[in-house]
Amino acid sequence: SLCANGPDVVKVRLFAEPGRYAGFISAATEISAKEGFVSGLLLRGVSASAPRGAAIAIGEVTTYDHTKVTLKKHWPGRSETSKEPFSLHI
């Protein structure tokens, strides 16, 4: 979440104020110059995006695990002693 926060701040600003910035790089440069690299890009909004990222990760992992267990029971051509086929992970 921390790694993606800077680009997310730039994306939000680009959509909030269309036409203000020439592009992604110019927006990132201007935000860094005016608000600071750490406080303007890296830390702004982390308190909201970090819990959101954690909740998404928890949902993805639990959904994947539950689905995989359910599919393993009904996967064609699979017996209890055979290894999991690669196609089960796609």
Side-chain angles (χ1 to χ4, degrees), residues 1 11 30 44 57 65-66 71-72 75:
S1 182
K11 179 193 71 159
E30 185 178 325
R44 182 174 305 274
D65 189 52
H66 178 71
L71 285 175
K72 276 172 62 173
W75 204 255

Side-chain angles (χ1 to χ4, degrees), residues 46-89:
V46 167
S47 62
S49 64
R52 177 183 158 269
I56 289 170
I58 290 168
E60 287 175 349
V61 170
T62 55
T63 302
Y64 171 81
D65 189 52
H66 178 71
T67 303
K68 183 179 158 194
V69 168
T70 303
L71 285 175
K72 276 172 62 173
K73 294 176 186 173
H74 306 288
W75 204 255
R78 185 187 176 287
S79 66
E80 291 300 321
T81 58
S82 66
K83 294 176 80 174
E84 293 179 359
F86 178 73
S87 57
L88 186 59
H89 298 273

